[in-house]
Structure formats: structure tokens, C-alpha cells
């Protein structure tokens, strides 16, 4: 069994696509019109056939209160592995990405948490 797809709920798919590709460095995999929204996925350029991240519209009434509660409690909606958290923090910080948690070593992992501009906190994790 493998993870094929996972989602983050976003408040604007166009804005999310720009952030996840231009800032984080993912590449668009799928874009299929579905009425008002799209089936929109991105993947790591290092694993183009790997797990797809769905940029899922947050239109369902339960989603926005859920996202708001997670952000208020500082809980990331997703975690992305990076080779060097400090380097990614510096790169993204220079691009204007807002972090809610600077790099912090916590045992076998160093993490940082950023705001994806679409209503989510995202954790970057470097495993040692």
C-alpha cells in the first residue's frame, strides 16, 4: 500500500498554485476543470510520478472552521521533507514567505513552519 494523493484545503486555487510552484518549488501535475473548481495537483520535481498534493478548494462549510482552528493552535496541515531546513528557511524568507516558527531542532528532526497564504500552516522537516 502506498500514499497516492493527499490534500490541503486552499481558499484560492490560482493563488495556491502560484505559491506551491513559484515559492515552494513543486510542479503542476494535473489540472482538470470541474465546474467552478478544478482537480489541481502538484508533485515534487524530484519525484514526478510520486505522491500528488491536491490543492483542494475549501468550499465545504466544515473546512474553513477546521482550518481556522488548526492555524489558531499552530498545527500544520501538512509536512514536507527537505534536505536542509535552515537553507530552505533562508531561501523562502528572502522570497517573502512568512514563517510562524523558525528552524528548531527537536530530537531527530529540525522543523520550521510557514504560512502558505491560502489558510494553512505547512511544516518543513529535515530528518537527521
Amino acid at each position: 500500500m502506498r500514499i497516492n494523493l493527499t490534500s490541503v484545503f486552499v481558499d484560492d486555487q490560482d493563488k495556491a498554485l502560484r505559491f506551491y510552484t513559484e515559492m515552494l518549488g513543486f510542479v503542476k501535475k494535473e489540472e482538470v476543470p470541474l465546474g467552478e473548481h478544478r482537480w489541481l495537483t502538484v508533485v515534487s520535481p524530484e519525484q514526478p510520478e510520486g505522491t500528488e498534493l491536491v490543492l483542494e478548494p475549501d468550499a465545504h462549510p466544515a473546512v474553513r472552521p477546521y482550518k481556522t482552528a488548526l492555524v489558531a493552535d499552530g498545527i500544520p496541515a501538512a509536512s514536507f521533507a527537505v534536505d536542509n531546513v535552515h537553507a530552505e528557511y533562508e531561501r523562502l524568507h528572502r522570497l517573502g514567505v512568512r514563517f510562524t516558527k523558525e528552524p528548531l531542532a527537536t530530537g531527530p528532526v529540525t522543523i520550521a513552519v510557514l504560512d502558505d497564504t491560502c489558510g494553512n500552516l505547512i511544516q518543513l522537516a529535515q530528518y537527521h
Side-chain angles (χ1 to χ4, degrees):
M1 191 174 297
R2 299 179 311 279
I3 298 172
N4 182 43
L5 297 167
T6 190
S7 300
V8 290
F9 291 107
V10 299
D11 57 12
D12 180 312
Q13 285 185 301
D14 291 324
K15 180 173 66 170
L17 182 61
R18 282 190 304 276
F19 184 84
Y20 281 79
T21 58
E22 296 172 13
M23 298 294 202
L24 298 186
F26 291 103
V27 293
K28 182 170 66 172
K29 175 80 175 193
E30 300 289 341
E31 183 171 10
V32 179
L34 295 172
E36 180 182 346
H37 303 290
R38 297 168 284 171
W39 176 259
L40 183 60
T41 69
V42 295
V43 294
S44 168
E46 297 169 16
Q47 296 179 317
E49 299 306 316
T51 304
E52 295 178 53
L53 178 67
V54 182
L55 302 177
E56 186 84 39
D58 67 0
H60 188 281
V63 174
R64 290 190 184 169
Y66 169 75
K67 285 174 47 179
T68 299
L70 288 180
V71 170
D73 289 344
I75 299 171
S79 180
F80 303 140
V82 296
D83 292 331
N84 184 323
V85 165
H86 291 282
E88 280 299 309
Y89 172 83
E90 291 300 326
R91 180 184 77 79
L92 292 168
H93 188 71
R94 282 193 305 274
L95 291 173
V97 173
R98 187 177 76 80
F99 281 79
T100 61
K101 183 177 292 202
E102 295 182 5
L104 174 68
T106 60
V109 65
T110 300
I111 62 168
V113 178
L114 61 89
D115 178 341
D116 78 349
T117 73
C118 302
N120 302 291
L121 298 179
I122 301 295
Q123 178 176 276
L124 302 180
Q126 174 187 348
Y127 295 89
H128 308 287

